[in-house]
Amino acid sequence: MDALQQIRKPIEVEMNQYKQVFESYLQHPSPLLQEVFTSISQRKGKMMRPMLALLAAKLVGGAVNENAIYTAATFEFFHTASLVHDDVVDESEERRGQKSVNSAYGNQIAVLVGDSILANALLCAAKTGSSRLIEVLSNAAQNLACGELLQLNNVKNQAVDEAVYFDIIRNKTAALFAACAESGVMAVSSDEKAMKTLHDFGEYIGICFQIRDDIFDYHHDPSIGKPTGNDMQEGKLTLPIIHALLSTQNAEMLALARKVKARQVSQEEINVLVEFTKENGGIDYAVQVMNDYAEKAKGLLASFPDSDVKQALIAYVDYVIDRTL
């Protein structure tokens, strides 16, 4: 049994119910919209966020109700919409090995498709009858937008700052994982302490998820899914290079880092920065920070009795930090 199968096993029935709901909202009378929806549905994502919502619900409630199923669909639609919009902002040409919506259909259609998918998220949230879910979803949306804007603004900032990096990833990535886990509990229970615990659990997982993604950028391996130094090509400095720069204060490398932020760096210069990062402990540091957050996430589960669901959540944390794509 692989890691994802172990994670899904306690919620296999619920995941099938979730898929039925999700796919039912990907039917549309507009031929163009249906064509794009079909293209998006063929991209086989791992469904990390709905799995987290359903596992959180089952950990606390024991049984998963219809509200939890619609909650899981809410966040997967929200995540999908954010990816479509992100690809427009980042001018990305590929998503999961296929042409991005903006690359295949243009920015105008991509923005409208993203809006339509976001509307599906709201329709699913409405099915739960929970105004609080709408509030949690809206806060996650605000955080994501804040993270994107902070990241765009940080490109113009010449300073190299680890705290800013964590502000970005908490807003841009971790907030959605936190909202998924919290809302999964909320769908089946009124236990505020459990909601807070699973919110923090999700946040720590999201931080691990983004750090692992950022580490991928320092290795040349086509199976990972993005070229080496891609983040730097986009003007982004992530945790490994930030640590290497701050720990050495190497003037020459700091000058290259400023060229990264100014989007004036060559691929050869990026290669130099990648090697500098590896040689000066940047990747080892990022792995250690990621592992520390993973242990903090697992520690939050200590208050829950042992069960197959709890073991699946521990496996979920391990999968996030050990994954290769």
Side-chain angles (χ1 to χ4, degrees):
M1 184 185 299
D2 68 19
L4 281 175
Q5 286 176 321
Q6 181 185 353
I7 295 165
R8 288 174 182 157
K9 189 175 181 183
I11 50 167
E12 201 166 340
V13 171
E14 293 83 356
M15 283 299 292
N16 287 332
Q17 293 171 338
Y18 148 77
K19 287 177 189 175
Q20 289 175 2
V21 167
F22 188 81
E23 288 170 6
S24 72
Y25 281 84
L26 288 177
Q27 309 301 316
H28 201 278
S30 162
L32 176 57
L33 199 53
Q34 184 59 59
E35 180 184 329
V36 183
F37 279 176
T38 301
S39 172
I40 289 171
S41 68
Q42 289 170 348
R43 299 173 187 168
K44 299 301 180 185
K46 298 179 185 67
M47 295 176 286
M48 298 297 289
R49 292 152 192 84
M51 282 196 299
L52 179 57
L54 292 173
L55 285 168
K58 201 158 192 178
L59 179 72
V60 173
V64 171
N65 59 22
E66 187 178 67
N67 282 352
I69 301 297
Y70 276 102
T71 295
T74 293
F75 285 102
E76 186 65 4
F77 275 124
F78 177 79
H79 173 60
T80 304
S82 73
L83 294 182
V84 173
H85 287 155
D86 280 355
D87 286 342
V88 174
V89 173
D90 295 337
E91 300 177 346
S92 301
E93 295 189 359
E94 283 193 3
R95 171 66 62 182
R96 291 175 184 157
Q98 298 181 23
K99 272 193 167 186
S100 60
V101 177
N102 53 299
S103 176
Y105 297 94
N107 286 341
Q108 290 176 317
I109 288 175
V111 169
L112 295 171
V113 167
D115 290 347
S116 181
I117 296 171
L118 180 58
N120 283 345
L122 295 172
L123 287 169
C124 287
K127 281 284 189 179
T128 70
S130 170
S131 61
R132 187 166 175 183
L133 175 59
I134 300 291
E135 183 180 348
V136 172
L137 179 66
S138 300
N139 284 332
Q142 284 189 326
N143 285 331
L144 191 149
C146 247
E148 288 286 358
L149 288 168
L150 184 55
Q151 182 168 274
L152 287 170
N153 189 59
N154 191 47
V155 169
K156 302 172 187 175
N157 180 3
Q158 292 297 297
V160 176
D161 191 332
E162 185 175 310
V164 173
Y165 167 81
F166 278 103
D167 284 344
I168 291 169
I169 70 170
R170 278 193 181 93
N171 281 286
K172 187 180 173 186
T173 305
L176 184 52
F177 279 93
C180 284
E182 177 185 356
S183 297
V185 176
M186 197 166 63
V188 299
S189 170
S190 58
D191 186 336
E192 294 288 342
K193 184 179 178 182
M195 288 180 212
K196 176 66 167 64
T197 299
L198 269 295
H199 173 280
D200 292 348
F201 177 82
E203 179 176 291
Y204 295 157
I205 284 177
I207 290 171
C208 291
F209 191 94
Q210 189 60 58
I211 293 174
R212 172 53 72 192
D213 257 9
D214 293 341
I215 291 170
F216 288 155
D217 205 45
Y218 294 83
H219 298 282
H220 183 68
D221 185 345
S223 69
I224 285 172
K226 63 178 183 177
T228 307
N230 189 59
D231 287 334
M232 291 191 214
Q233 286 283 13
E234 296 176 358
K236 302 170 189 172
L237 299 178
T238 55
L239 187 58
I241 182 63
I242 290 171
H243 174 75
L245 291 168
L246 293 178
S247 64
T248 64
Q249 291 296 316
N250 184 302
E252 182 183 355
M253 295 301 110
L254 283 164
L256 284 184
R258 293 187 185 98
K259 290 184 72 174
V260 168
K261 289 196 164 200
R263 304 286 288 268
Q264 295 171 351
V265 69
S266 68
Q267 185 60 51
E268 291 74 18
E269 289 168 325
I270 287 175
N271 294 342
V272 169
L273 283 168
V274 167
E275 288 309 308
F276 167 78
T277 301
K278 292 177 179 177
E279 291 167 5
N280 288 278
I283 293 171
D284 292 340
Y285 174 78
V287 168
Q288 184 58 58
V289 172
M290 177 182 68
N291 287 337
D292 288 346
Y293 273 102
E295 289 307 309
K296 286 170 69 175
K298 291 178 185 178
L300 289 172
L301 299 176
S303 60
F304 296 96
D306 198 25
S307 65
D308 58 347
V309 177
K310 179 175 174 177
Q311 290 306 312
L313 283 167
I314 291 170
Y316 188 110
V317 177
D318 289 335
Y319 178 80
V320 166
I321 63 175
D322 293 335
R323 66 197 170 95
T324 56
L325 48 84

